[in-house]
Amino acid sequence: MPHELPLLSLPGAVAAEGQDEGVAAHYGDLFREQRSLAEGEGFVDLSHRGVVTVSGDDRLSWLHLLLTQHVSELPPGHATEALILSANGHIEHALYLVDDGETVWMHTEPGTQGALIRYLESMRFFYRVEIADRTEEFAVVHLPAGSIAEAPAGTVVRETAHGRDLFLPRTGLKSFAESGPPAIGLLAYEALRVEGHRPRLGMETDHRTIPHELGWLGSAVHLDKGCYRGQETVARVHNLGKPPRRLVFLHLDGSEVRLPVHGDAVRLAADGPEGRKLGFVTTSARHHELGPIAMALVKRNVPVDAALTVGEDETAAAQEVVVAP
């Protein structure tokens, strides 16, 4: 990664891998870090995420034409999230936004900001907007809900029910870590995300995922706004049918040492290891209270009370409904 990620030098930091390379997975005590985060303590380094801004007089009306969310009258300081879909309604980008009165700030999955900016630039036309990749200048830091930590003066803050995302200048990231609340690793953040059934692009999605499958209607998709790319699919599935797959939450057998990984097959327990693949694990985690848990994307017609297994180890899994069949 070209930008500096200084918090990996903090004591005890163990680097994350894969999609989250560049930040700490944990700082030596996963369950303690989870409990702290759940209690509103600490901060999470999300400085590997992309940061994009859109400024100019037409920024909100223009973005309103492109995004799944209603943002034409987005009040300053009001956080929202939105998707960009393909022409067929498949999810291409997930954006986490706030407007500061002059500029829309958004953070995106690591490494996706380049493709996002190329798409936005292709749609500028005559609108008065300026699009910028700010990833080299600003880093995202997350403070959990209930945190009493103060954001540095002048910081753009995106506040949600789950906590506050701070857009910190990278030059102040290390001093924030040294003078602020204790650092919490990404594994703790992800475990609470799985517990909260919150989908993530690239984990709960593949090349054909539509918003209905993940429960993203409402939080990231406004059903009563005007046209945008992919809107026909959103409306048709919402009004006339059901999505082909649905997100589920899984309680996993705690006796297994190995957690299933992203992509591991989900099958009916009764069918055994040679049974038909009904879906795949999207994210798994070890939770400080619930034990091993996961989310998975399965075929819509999988019975909600069916006993399932996941992965080559045939780990037993009991499902909770996230998206209704």
Side-chain angles (χ1 to χ4, degrees):
M1 291 186 178
H3 45 267
E4 184 184 4
L5 298 167
L7 302 195
L8 281 176
S9 64
L10 293 178
V14 175
E17 299 177 348
Q19 185 170 337
D20 292 315
E21 181 182 3
V23 296
H26 61 85
Y27 293 89
D29 192 337
L30 174 61
F31 291 150
R32 179 191 61 78
E33 292 171 35
Q34 275 190 42
R35 287 191 291 270
S36 295
L37 201 62
E39 292 168 0
E41 301 171 357
F43 80 94
V44 182
D45 175 18
L46 300 179
S47 61
H48 62 321
R49 293 183 64 81
V51 176
V52 175
T53 60
V54 180
S55 56
D57 292 343
D58 294 336
R59 66 190 184 282
L60 293 177
S61 59
W62 176 69
L63 285 170
H64 186 79
L65 300 173
L66 306 178
L67 307 183
T68 57
Q69 188 59 273
H70 196 299
V71 296
S72 61
E73 299 171 6
L74 185 67
H78 183 84
T80 191
E81 56 188 87
L83 308 173
I84 290 177
L85 307 180
S86 72
N88 293 322
H90 301 139
I91 300 168
E92 293 189 344
H93 293 282
L95 314 176
Y96 301 86
L97 306 97
V98 67
D99 185 83
D100 67 3
E102 296 181 351
T103 300
V104 174
W105 293 75
M106 62 186 81
H107 62 82
T108 69
E109 286 299 321
T112 65
Q113 65 270 21
L116 170 63
I117 288 174
R118 286 192 293 274
Y119 171 69
L120 295 178
E121 288 285 0
S122 73
M123 302 299 291
R124 281 182 64 181
F125 302 118
F126 55 85
Y127 290 94
R128 296 170 296 174
V129 294
E130 295 295 331
I131 306 153
D133 184 351
R134 311 296 294 277
T135 311
E136 296 293 325
E137 305 167 68
F138 289 89
V140 180
V141 164
H142 176 78
L143 297 175
S147 170
I148 61 173
E150 294 186 2
T155 301
V156 175
V157 178
R158 180 180 176 273
E159 185 166 3
T160 73
H162 311 298
R164 289 174 287 161
D165 296 335
L166 313 183
F167 292 87
L168 288 179
R170 286 193 179 272
T171 53
L173 186 57
K174 195 163 187 179
S175 63
F176 175 84
E178 292 171 347
S179 61
I184 303 292
L186 198 70
L187 288 181
Y189 179 86
E190 285 288 280
L192 298 189
R193 180 181 70 81
V194 174
E195 179 192 16
H197 309 162
R198 300 195 300 276
R200 180 179 174 189
L201 184 77
M203 298 301 292
E204 279 61 57
T205 66
D206 59 18
H207 67 283
R208 58 192 179 97
T209 307
I210 61 175
H212 317 65
E213 297 176 323
L214 304 183
W216 246 328
L217 296 186
S219 64
V221 178
H222 196 286
L223 293 171
D224 297 319
K225 61 163 288 188
C227 292
Y228 52 88
R229 191 173 70 172
Q231 187 265 345
E232 295 84 355
T233 297
V234 170
R236 182 173 66 252
V237 174
H238 178 70
N239 294 320
L240 301 177
K242 295 283 189 177
R245 302 177 297 180
R246 59 186 180 88
L247 188 68
V248 297
F249 177 81
L250 300 177
H251 292 273
L252 304 175
D253 180 359
S255 65
E256 296 290 344
V257 175
R258 173 187 174 275
L259 275 178
V261 298
H262 176 82
D264 274 357
V266 177
R267 294 182 171 89
L268 290 177
D271 291 346
E274 303 304 319
R276 184 166 57 99
K277 181 178 177 180
L278 302 175
F280 66 93
V281 172
T282 60
T283 309
S284 63
R286 297 192 186 278
H287 192 275
H288 70 286
E289 290 182 341
L290 300 176
I293 57 176
M295 289 192 289
L297 198 58
V298 302
K299 294 181 182 296
R300 179 172 58 86
N301 60 2
V302 173
V304 297
D305 58 351
L308 305 174
T309 63
V310 299
E312 295 180 357
D313 298 333
E314 298 182 68
T315 302
Q319 62 173 307
E320 287 184 12
V321 173
V322 176
V323 175

